[in-house]
Amino acid sequence: MYHLILYLYQFGVFVCSFFSEKVSKMWKGERRAVADIREKLDPEAQYVWFHAASLGEFEQGRPLMEQLRRDHPEYKILLTFFSPSGYEVRKNYEGADIITYLPIDTVTNARRFLRTIRPVMAFFIKYEFWYNYLHILRHRNVPVYSVSSIFRPDQVFFKWYGRQYGHVLKCFSHFYVQNEVSKELLAKIGINCVTVVGDTRFDRVLQIRNDAKKLPIVEAFATGNTFVAGSSWQPDEDIFIPYFNTHSDWKMIIAPHVIGEDHLSQIIGKVKGKVVRYSQTTPEEAATAQVLIIDCFGLLSSIYAYAKVAYVGGGFGVGIHNVLEAAVWGVPVIFGPNNQRFQEAQQLKASTGGIEIADHDSFAAVMDGFIADADTMRDRGQRAADYVAQKAGTTKKILDAVGL
């Protein structure tokens, strides 16, 4: 059944590649992956393979790759992606020696790929349980580690109809999971090579904070009280923009999740006061504006440094985005109600560094409270920073455990 689904999926990707540039990039990238590896391969080197589904998983694996590179330069690193949203953004990442798409998980592809690279060990980040790759790695006695993984009772492995596919988990040498629930679930299906170590994302956001970019435009703009909304969607913006339209003593930075002219025009149309776009302004002009819109990628994690209060979007849609990028800067983090599947949001709420809101009125109540009591606002921010600091150190735990 797995292989039938896989071939149907492959056919679907082929058809969609004629109509979608994103899918076309993935289709072509998968097909040329082995050729790319052969072109860049050092036949004398030993390769450690890291696989990430997309950009978020890459960020979780990045601390491991960079620590490995510092401590063990005798190894080279192969980094593979499943999604174009990961590969296209990080295809020039300097922390890996070879970066490519992972060919779809057919027996032929898996054999050819592994025969070419011959990794000495492999790390699969968070998710990604490719049946053929994993079985061949086990057959070749290559150690395979699942890192920053997290499991939930509703996943297929723990259902009666998924028991057969669940055998793929037995191909891993060890699981380094985020929480006790994951360990208990795996134990129920006979998998006990599990250690609870936490999530490498905490190490990554601390690293980002330490390496934060200086942004002269944002620095000139963010004088006084500044509210930063990151990865916002239209439902988020309909909540916080009206509030700050009536609080001109606060400045507002909006970094929308979707950067398209239609969405940017919608935001500008809702805002009162002078608005500037990051790519079209200067520090001198930004200093006189009320609202700064970030219309480019790659800056958000550094922009949170200028916030007194942060808002992370997505909580009124498919789910919130990265709350840790904001929390690490020691500011209270506000987000919407769809956060139940996100462990870090739940824990941030429990620390009181994160605040869930349900609508405009609850958002206004939170902000009114912070404005009336700056000490509480600072205390909530400190609790957010403390939460991140207490969860750091997972990278070292994993690499020590695997002997690196």
Side-chain angles (χ1 to χ4, degrees):
M1 180 60 73
Y2 174 80
H3 294 91
L4 175 61
I5 293 172
L6 205 63
Y7 282 111
L8 290 173
Y9 169 80
Q10 193 173 21
F11 178 73
V13 170
F14 170 69
V15 172
C16 290
S17 68
F18 291 98
F19 305 98
S20 167
E21 182 181 0
K22 181 178 179 180
V23 176
S24 177
K25 286 179 178 179
M26 182 173 72
W27 173 255
K28 293 175 182 177
E30 288 177 357
R31 291 174 68 81
R32 69 168 183 265
V34 172
D36 286 346
I37 291 172
R38 286 174 177 158
E39 182 180 324
K40 300 172 183 176
L41 187 72
D42 178 353
E44 303 301 319
Q46 291 185 306
Y47 283 87
V48 177
W49 174 23
F50 287 84
H51 177 64
S54 191
L55 193 58
E57 290 77 15
F58 163 79
E59 290 296 328
Q60 288 176 290
R62 185 169 178 167
L64 290 164
M65 287 184 277
E66 294 181 357
Q67 191 66 49
L68 175 65
R69 206 168 184 81
R70 285 192 296 270
D71 294 349
H72 293 278
E74 68 272 21
Y75 291 118
K76 292 200 172 185
I77 294 174
L78 165 70
L79 170 62
T80 59
F81 288 97
F82 176 73
S83 165
S85 60
Y87 175 80
E88 296 300 329
V89 175
R90 294 301 182 191
K91 60 187 176 184
N92 297 316
Y93 170 59
E94 295 181 353
D97 298 283
I98 302 175
I99 304 172
T100 185
Y101 282 97
L102 181 67
I104 198 68
D105 185 33
T106 64
V107 173
T108 300
N109 283 346
R111 283 176 176 164
R112 184 171 57 175
F113 179 90
L114 293 170
R115 191 183 300 124
T116 301
I117 195 66
R118 298 186 181 277
V120 295
M121 67 184 72
F123 292 83
F124 280 51
I125 304 159
K126 192 174 183 179
Y127 299 129
E128 298 290 272
F129 306 106
W130 295 111
Y131 189 91
N132 292 311
Y133 282 103
L134 288 166
H135 275 84
I136 295 171
L137 285 166
R138 184 177 67 171
H139 178 72
R140 296 186 175 192
N141 295 315
V142 177
V144 187
Y145 306 105
S146 176
V147 297
S148 289
S149 42
I150 189 165
F151 293 91
R152 300 182 305 275
D154 60 351
Q155 286 175 297
V156 64
F157 314 112
F158 312 112
K159 304 293 186 181
W160 64 266
Y161 52 81
R163 288 175 186 167
Q164 185 65 34
Y165 178 64
H167 290 315
V168 72
L169 300 180
K170 296 182 179 179
C171 294
F172 284 93
S173 306
H174 206 91
F175 289 85
Y176 295 98
V177 299
Q178 294 188 31
N179 57 26
E180 289 289 343
V181 171
S182 297
K183 183 176 181 179
E184 291 166 5
L185 286 168
L186 290 170
K188 288 180 180 179
I189 58 173
I191 296 174
N192 297 299
C193 51
V194 184
T195 305
V196 179
V197 294
D199 189 347
T200 51
R201 279 185 300 174
F202 292 92
D203 297 328
R204 176 60 187 148
V205 294
L206 285 166
Q207 185 182 53
I208 290 171
R209 186 192 67 184
N210 294 336
D211 298 337
K213 304 171 185 176
K214 291 292 185 182
L215 303 172
I217 289 173
V218 181
E219 194 163 324
F221 171 84
T223 54
N225 292 322
T226 303
F227 174 84
V228 175
S231 302
S232 64
W233 296 78
Q234 176 263 318
D236 302 301
E237 293 147 9
D238 287 345
I239 285 174
F240 62 73
I241 289 177
Y243 182 86
F244 289 103
N245 280 341
T246 61
H247 290 75
S248 58
D249 53 331
W250 278 68
K251 291 194 169 189
M252 179 167 50
I253 300 176
I254 306 173
H257 184 73
V258 176
I259 298 176
E261 289 303 318
D262 288 345
H263 189 198
L264 296 177
S265 296
Q266 288 174 8
I267 294 171
I268 293 170
K270 295 171 184 176
V271 169
K272 294 180 181 178
K274 182 177 178 180
V275 183
V276 292
R277 290 172 54 166
Y278 184 88
S279 68
Q280 299 175 4
T281 192
T282 63
E284 294 74 22
E285 184 183 23
T288 66
Q290 190 69 30
V291 178
L292 172 63
I293 297 177
I294 308 302
D295 55 354
C296 53
F297 293 108
L299 302 180
L300 180 57
S301 58
S302 296
I303 288 172
Y304 282 126
Y306 300 92
K308 287 292 180 67
V309 177
Y311 182 100
V312 175
F316 291 90
V318 295
I320 57 170
H321 296 285
N322 192 341
V323 297
L324 300 181
E325 284 186 341
V328 73
W329 290 103
V331 296
V333 184
I334 303 173
F335 42 80
N338 190 359
N339 59 72
Q340 304 305 310
R341 293 183 296 108
F342 301 86
Q343 176 179 257
E344 64 278 9
Q346 296 297 303
Q347 293 175 345
L348 191 59
K349 281 196 299 182
S351 77
T352 72
I355 304 100
E356 178 184 315
I357 55 103
D359 50 30
H360 176 270
D361 289 344
S362 56
F363 174 79
V366 171
M367 284 304 306
D368 287 346
F370 286 159
I371 291 171
D373 187 351
D375 287 341
T376 296
M377 179 172 67
R378 284 190 290 269
D379 180 65
R380 290 289 192 95
Q382 186 58 53
R383 289 170 184 264
D386 290 345
Y387 162 69
V388 176
Q390 290 163 6
K391 295 287 185 179
T394 298
T395 299
K396 186 177 187 305
K397 291 176 185 176
I398 294 171
L399 293 178
D400 285 351
V402 302
L404 290 172

